Amino acid sequence: MLYRTMVETDLDEILTCLTEPSVNTTTPERFVAYLRDGGYRREWTWLAFDGDTPAGLAVWWGFPDGERPLALDCLWAAPAVTDPVPMWAALIRQVPPPVEYHLFTLPAHRDDPEIAVRLAAAAEAGLTTVTERFRYEWTSARPRPRRSARLTFAPASDEAFVDAFEQISAGSLDVATRAGVARIGARAQAVEDVEDYKSMRGPRDWWRLAYDRAGALVGCALPSANDGGPVVGYVGVLPSHRGHGYADDLLAEITWILAVTGATTIRADTDSTNAPMVASFERLGYERFALRVVAS
Ligand SMILES: CC(C)(COP(=O)(O)OP(=O)(O)OC[C@H]1O[C@@H](n2cnc3c(N)ncnc32)[C@H](O)[C@@H]1OP(=O)(O)O)[C@@H](O)C(=O)NCCC(=O)NCCS
């Protein structure tokens, strides 16, 4: 098997592979659009060849202004490949870690073979930690949540957000945050997170720090957007203020900011194990509509 990145003349063949129905999020339309805006790149799209025939494909996503791919969006194998696991694992290993593989599905289809075989390949390539993220959606058919009467919200500098993120990471139940802190430390993780959120489509000037009546910093609220539309970027409460239901105040502010700018749907994800955040989404009228399985 030969592995190489895409060249321009591979495009038609790749689009044909992507028309096959599968759990992959990459469709032919998305591939062309993202290739244009830089979320997908030829040098981030890996092919496996058996002779002259394409046997496998891996499509990676990264921020359009980023320097490296971050997440695998698609694994495809030709029907002739009886066991795609070794080939897919080899394709995944072409991209240096840390990377993630995100699979989107419905809770009822969590154990489908199509997902299991992809997770097996990811595990063989070193992506052995599998987490489940609940996907939530708020729509403007619901009343806008009431804004907090006990917190005030203000914009702040990147430095202030890095400080807040660093403090919030202590005792976080978020799997990616915990892994990042273990890998590079709380400060570096906070710097990286702020940079990543700045790369998202939502305007930076929507971000807010939240203060209580005594003027103490309580947490942060980051409304944002990705390619699919408006999203809850980040909600965080400082450890010393946890347990007072402030998560709801912050989520209400994010929802409100996005709703007044015209959002009719707002999407959000949280780890299934992040119980306080799951409860907060459900109290605020967000509906769980899907599951994101993440191998990292
Ligand atoms: C998730 C988070 C925002 C919850 O904030 P909060 O305002 O404390 O939430 P609530 O007050 O509704 O908490 C409900 C319960 O969970 C507990 N809880 C909250 N955060 C907790 C944590 N990190 N670890 C353990 N328990 C926690 C609270 O003490 C409270 O317990 P109680 O019912 O016994 O009093 C906060 O933990 C946080 O900032 N975590 C790190 C960042 C994060 O995970 N953000 C979400 C990413 S999508």
Side-chain angles (χ1 to χ4, degrees):
M1 202 76 77
L2 170 87
Y3 299 93
R4 66 155 173 83
T5 53
M6 172 189 175
V7 294
E8 203 162 352
T9 47
D10 295 322
L11 182 64
D12 285 346
E13 213 136 30
I14 289 175
L15 295 179
T16 307
C17 304
L18 294 174
T19 52
E20 284 177 23
S22 78
V23 296
N24 294 320
T25 45
T26 314
T27 58
E29 298 72 32
R30 180 190 287 230
F31 189 76
V32 170
Y34 285 20
L35 210 51
R36 200 180 315 121
D37 83 3
Y40 292 163
R41 314 232 182 125
R42 290 210 289 266
E43 64 272 25
W44 296 350
T45 302
W46 281 86
L47 291 145
F49 282 91
D50 187 4
D52 288 339
T53 322
L57 168 69
V59 180
W60 294 84
W61 174 89
F63 286 115
D65 63 354
E67 278 156 20
R68 55 182 218 87
L70 299 175
L72 182 60
D73 268 6
C74 163
L75 285 176
W76 170 88
V81 178
T82 45
D83 176 12
V85 169
M87 175 185 72
W88 280 344
L91 278 169
I92 296 170
R93 277 196 224 96
Q94 305 298 324
V95 170
V99 290
E100 292 184 340
Y101 182 21
H102 294 222
L103 284 148
F104 296 86
T105 186
L106 295 172
H109 297 165
R110 167 65 181 84
D111 298 321
D112 278 5
E114 260 214 276
I115 301 220
V117 69
R118 285 170 168 78
L119 290 176
E124 196 170 307
L127 307 179
T128 50
T129 305
V130 177
T131 54
E132 292 183 14
R133 294 175 67 80
F134 292 150
R135 311 204 67 206
Y136 285 101
E137 188 175 81
W138 180 90
T139 74
S140 54
R142 293 187 165 265
R144 276 183 205 165
R146 241 191 323 176
R147 295 175 83 191
S148 178
R150 55 185 180 158
L151 297 182
T152 52
F153 294 89
S157 65
D158 286 359
E159 183 66 17
F161 277 103
V162 170
D163 285 344
F165 272 53
E166 183 180 358
Q167 294 181 61
I168 289 164
S169 68
S172 174
L173 301 170
D174 185 82
V175 176
T177 303
R178 293 162 76 110
V181 169
R183 184 171 54 85
I184 54 175
R187 184 75 189 174
Q189 179 61 32
V191 170
E192 201 174 286
D193 281 344
V194 166
E195 282 312 310
D196 283 352
Y197 283 111
K198 281 169 73 176
S199 295
M200 291 179 66
R201 287 182 183 270
R204 165 68 177 81
D205 62 12
W206 287 351
W207 298 13
R208 297 288 184 270
L209 289 182
Y211 302 89
D212 67 10
R213 291 202 181 96
L217 177 65
V218 165
C220 64
L222 271 69
S224 193
N226 62 22
D227 296 325
V231 297
V232 175
Y234 191 65
V235 174
V237 174
L238 268 58
S240 55
H241 293 282
R242 288 183 188 150
H244 301 292
Y246 285 133
D248 290 13
D249 301 55
L250 299 169
L251 185 56
E253 186 69 11
I254 290 173
T255 309
W256 188 88
I257 291 173
L258 293 171
V260 293
T261 58
T264 52
T265 53
I266 302 170
R267 287 188 163 183
D269 267 23
T270 196
D271 292 334
S272 59
T273 47
N274 196 341
M277 206 56 232
V278 165
S280 183
F281 280 119
E282 290 176 4
R283 280 193 299 269
L284 270 278
Y286 278 74
E287 254 178 70
R288 197 189 299 176
F289 72 97
L291 190 66
R292 183 198 291 252
V293 182
V294 182
S296 59

